[in-house]
Amino acid sequence: MVPSRAVGLAAVFLIAFAGLSSGGTSSTDTSERAFSSPRVMRNVSREPRTVEVSLVADDQKLSLQPGSTADVFAYNGSVPGPTLEVYEGDRVTVNFENRLPVATTVHWHGLHIPFDSDGSPFHPVEPGEKRTYSFTLRPGSAGTYWYHPHPNHSTGYQVAKGLYGGIIVRAPDDPLTKRFPEKLIILSDNRFAADGSIDLPDMGSHKRHVDEENGREGNVLFVNGSVLPTISIRDGDVQRWRIVNASASRVYRLALGGTKMVHVGNDGGLFEKPVEVSELTIANGERIEVLVRGTGAAGARTTLQALPYDRYINQTRPKDWNTSRDLLALVTSSAPPVKSPVIPTRLRVVPVIDTIDASVRRVVTLSQGLINGKPMDMSRIDFTANLDATEIWEIENIVGMDHPFHMHGFQFQVIDRNGVPEPFRSWKDMVNVPKHQTARIIVRFANYPGKWMFHCHILDHEDHGMMGILEVK
Ligand SMILES: [Cu+2]
């Protein structure tokens, strides 16, 4: 993450949103496509605090990009899949059916839930089979998450084919609800052949080798499945954007035309206090929440861009890596201005995991394709931890490209990155470890025994064994 500069809220108001109409305009102007959110999964339960939904993975022909159709995999017929929206305390049942020609799973990325509902490679769902995922969202778990397949060795393929969707867990006492209209923004990328099909190069080809080394990237960037959609905002209004990076390997260094944003949350939900930022880096698998204010006359336009970010190893760095890419346009509507809502100075309490409680320290060494020198083996337990133990993991990246590290089942806190203490506390299930750097995290293995994966979230790396197994018992 790019270090953020914390400032007082007064300064946020003076500085943060001053320039949407002046500094942040973009010359990019393609045919206007209105932003739309993915559908929400329909709750068929009539019981209070209970959510029951159905989710079907199927192969379909869909138009992912204008002018062509492709053979895709889709959840409930759409890419991205429908959003699971729930509240803390809800008991959730997902009735999943696999109508794909291949085995799959549904992994609820970031959720602190029982092992047998984690959707890891331990619980494949074969073609034609059904599986019920059941879990209860614990208090304090409100945040933005996502779901995707996690079958052994073919997660990258299935996500590239279209399987990913968002999850929003809400808190009944969320300090931002109602006054700050929300947008769920799922970022993804894909690559297409000349005939419009999804470009998945053959095994053994040079292109495939580059994908396996770099992590497959696409040249078409999507926001909720659309290319460069437009979000409309009233002058003065402040929107809450929940941003998910569902790309297989692309890291987005986000900037809003030079305009400040207010960073309010990470993977596992809100911070204690808002933080003003001018840019934010979101690695694949990560989520962020930001507040964005509309200012300026009707039609004032700014662009959310992905600025260049060099996560690559020299040999396979793409030629165009140093180019900024437009993601979405924010346009001031012609509706009358509104009085801006006050951003709370306190968002919630994020409990401290104290380092003096740590009973075990481990080193996790990331090299190209390996963790601690080994490829993953489903029959090997790499680490065994006691239920309820607090542990510090030092994750060191000894090679010349970034590896975003993900731990299943448990939210952790970052202690420091390359020796620099994390400026504020947040819940995370991902930490990007840049080339030749080290991050330390602290985690408590509470509530759920089981065999939990930890891995690089570059899906090609994960599929080729850059994964380990932690048994909590
Ligand atoms: Cu990696």
Side-chain angles (χ1 to χ4, degrees):
M1 298 285 278
V2 172
S4 332
R5 187 165 47 89
V7 295
L9 250 282
V12 170
F13 275 106
L14 287 172
I15 304 163
F17 300 112
L20 268 193
S21 56
S22 54
T25 50
S26 162
S27 59
T28 307
D29 203 351
T30 54
S31 57
E32 208 91 315
R33 179 190 278 262
F35 173 91
S36 68
S37 301
R39 279 177 299 151
V40 174
M41 290 186 205
R42 194 167 69 89
N43 179 12
V44 298
S45 171
R46 292 184 181 173
E47 303 297 314
R49 306 184 73 188
T50 302
V51 172
E52 183 171 356
V53 296
S54 47
L55 188 67
V56 176
D58 203 352
D59 54 346
Q60 311 228 323
K61 264 202 190 310
L62 286 180
S63 177
L64 296 186
Q65 51 170 2
S68 67
T69 56
D71 291 315
V72 308
F73 292 169
Y75 287 124
N76 291 6
S78 66
V79 177
T83 305
L84 177 64
E85 280 202 30
V86 292
Y87 273 86
E88 289 178 355
D90 282 353
R91 286 178 300 132
V92 180
T93 302
V94 180
N95 299 308
F96 174 67
E97 183 179 346
N98 180 14
R99 290 187 200 152
L100 301 170
V102 291
T104 191
T105 75
V106 189
H107 171 53
W108 310 92
H109 181 122
L111 294 185
H112 179 48
I113 59 178
F115 166 61
D116 62 2
S117 283
D118 183 45
S120 81
F122 284 109
H123 300 111
V125 186
E126 299 297 328
E129 278 189 1
K130 296 177 179 177
R131 186 179 181 92
T132 301
Y133 296 96
S134 312
F135 44 87
T136 299
L137 283 318
R138 290 177 173 269
S141 66
T144 308
Y145 304 88
W146 64 300
Y147 64 94
H148 62 80
H150 209 307
N152 207 8
H153 304 307
S154 64
T155 297
Y157 170 73
Q158 294 193 11
V159 173
K161 290 282 278 183
L163 296 177
Y164 61 95
I167 304 170
I168 297 175
V169 181
R170 300 185 185 283
D173 55 352
D174 187 317
L176 302 178
T177 305
K178 294 193 177 110
R179 285 172 293 169
F180 300 88
E182 279 188 28
K183 306 283 181 198
L184 175 65
I185 294 172
I186 304 179
L187 304 176
S188 70
D189 60 352
N190 216 331
R191 203 173 63 208
F192 300 91
D195 64 359
S197 62
I198 297 171
D199 179 19
L200 293 156
D202 293 334
M203 283 283 217
S205 64
H206 175 70
K207 207 172 184 182
R208 178 68 170 252
H209 169 75
V210 172
D211 281 355
E212 288 169 358
E213 193 82 17
N214 266 348
R216 180 178 178 272
E217 280 188 357
N219 57 328
V220 184
L221 274 52
F222 293 100
V223 171
N224 299 344
S226 303
V227 176
L228 196 52
T230 297
I231 291 181
S232 177
I233 190 166
R234 286 174 80 160
D235 182 10
D237 209 359
V238 179
Q239 295 180 351
R240 176 189 196 169
W241 289 1
R242 297 174 178 267
I243 305 178
V244 178
N245 182 352
S247 283
S249 58
R250 183 179 288 275
V251 175
Y252 298 81
R253 192 177 135 222
L254 298 175
L256 190 57
T259 305
K260 300 283 202 295
M261 301 173 278
V262 178
H263 189 194
V264 291
N266 270 351
D267 301 338
L270 294 175
F271 302 149
E272 298 205 312
K273 291 186 274 190
V275 182
E276 183 199 29
V277 295
S278 51
E279 59 175 67
L280 272 172
T281 301
I282 177 171
N284 43 304
E286 288 187 312
R287 289 84 63 207
I288 52 173
E289 294 187 46
V290 290
L291 301 180
V292 172
R293 178 178 295 181
T295 55
R301 183 186 182 93
T302 189
T303 306
L304 182 72
Q305 281 194 311
L307 304 179
Y309 179 81
D310 184 10
R311 67 179 186 83
Y312 310 97
I313 209 157
N314 288 339
Q315 303 88 289
T316 50
R317 183 186 292 114
K319 284 196 184 68
D320 64 348
W321 78 272
N322 204 8
T323 316
S324 294
R325 300 291 306 268
D326 292 348
L327 299 172
L328 64 81
L330 182 67
V331 175
T332 307
S333 75
S334 54
V338 291
K339 187 169 177 290
S340 294
V342 174
I343 298 171
T345 53
R346 293 273 161 189
L347 299 171
R348 66 167 180 174
V349 173
V350 177
V352 185
I353 309 181
D354 201 319
T355 53
I356 52 175
D357 294 330
S359 55
V360 176
R361 285 161 195 266
R362 303 185 196 274
V363 174
V364 177
T365 302
L366 309 176
S367 56
Q368 204 64 355
L370 304 172
I371 294 185
N372 288 349
K374 289 173 277 195
M376 197 203 52
D377 179 343
M378 288 290 287
S379 61
R380 186 186 69 226
I381 302 297
D382 294 279
F383 297 139
T384 304
N386 293 327
L387 188 65
D388 278 330
T390 297
E391 300 196 354
I392 292 174
W393 289 24
E394 182 172 321
I395 304 153
E396 56 166 4
N397 180 353
I398 60 167
V399 292
M401 79 176 291
D402 291 18
H403 292 290
F405 178 87
H406 173 50
M407 181 186 283
H408 282 217
F410 303 92
Q411 290 283 318
F412 55 76
Q413 292 173 358
V414 177
I415 301 170
D416 50 32
R417 301 177 197 239
N418 236 22
V420 179
E422 193 75 341
F424 45 86
R425 217 163 33 248
S426 72
W427 289 116
K428 297 279 294 162
D429 50 69
M430 295 276 327
V431 60
N432 187 38
V433 190
K435 45 185 90 167
H436 298 297
Q437 293 197 18
T438 296
R440 287 195 310 151
I441 63 171
I442 185 164
V443 57
R444 189 170 154 240
F445 297 119
N447 301 311
Y448 300 122
K451 292 176 186 170
W452 301 97
M453 325 304 288
F454 55 90
H455 60 87
C456 175
H457 217 285
I458 292 176
L459 300 183
D460 291 276
H461 294 183
E462 171 191 330
D463 285 338
H464 283 81
M466 204 171 167
M467 181 148 66
I469 297 167
L470 161 76
E471 181 163 20
V472 175
K473 60 183 184 182

